[in-house]
Amino acid sequence: SPSVSALTPPDGPTLLSQAFDQLSATGYHFVTAGTAADGQPAAVVEGDTIGGSTRMVATSQGQTAEYVVLPEGTWVFREGAWDELEQAIPASDPIGPLRGAASVAVVSHTAELTTLVATYPASSIVPTGDELLNVTFEIAGTTIRSLSYTLPASTESSRTDFGPLAITPPITAPSA
């Protein structure tokens, strides 16, 4: 009978670093959906990030707000007009905190998909304290398809799906 060679899994930390580098280099579209402790949808944030600039729409409890976050300021669209916020949201690469995993393990690996679990101090991703947070990444080649986690000692969870940019770069300040 013919032998079947096992697919050698990649080095988890190297693959995750390459996948983050790819996202940072090309920009990306994201959809993040949170689930509250009672299992109900909490919030959905959808947008595009290119470098340190993000354009996004956040929906929570039936309310929707559109934001543009740039290094020079943050704008929100409300009541039919763009307003610059006095306290700007710091413009940064949203995946930046995910580069500092305490550990990364390959959970499964096929020719099409690698699943990694990376462990972080929860406080580096969400304001919850000193627990450790396990984040699951699904990566096709070196492209992150999704990340998800459930908060420690809770049923609150978040999932982000990634794809190609839905807008044409660059992201610029809105006109009044």
Side-chain angles (χ1 to χ4, degrees), residues 16 34 54 80 84 88-89 100 113 116-117 122 132 139 154 159 168 171 176:
L16 191 57
T54 299
E84 187 169 5
I89 297 170
L113 187 70
L116 304 176
V117 172
L132 292 177
I139 301 175
S154 175
R159 177 182 173 95
T168 303
I171 297 172

Side-chain angles (χ1 to χ4, degrees), residues 131-148:
E131 302 96 340
L132 292 177
L133 180 66
N134 291 324
V135 178
T136 301
F137 293 87
E138 293 179 342
I139 301 175
T142 57
T143 301
I144 298 176
R145 291 188 2 194
S146 70
L147 68 84
S148 59

Side-chain angles (χ1 to χ4, degrees), residues 74-133:
T74 300
W75 291 261
V76 61
F77 188 79
R78 56 183 162 210
E79 299 177 12
W82 285 101
D83 291 318
E84 187 169 5
L85 299 179
E86 288 183 29
Q87 293 293 321
I89 297 170
S92 64
D93 183 355
I95 61 169
L98 297 171
R99 290 183 180 270
S103 66
V104 179
V106 176
V107 175
S108 66
H109 176 67
T110 66
E112 294 79 32
L113 187 70
T114 301
T115 303
L116 304 176
V117 172
T119 303
Y120 301 88
S123 60
S124 68
I125 299 171
V126 294
T128 63
D130 297 330
E131 302 96 340
L132 292 177
L133 180 66

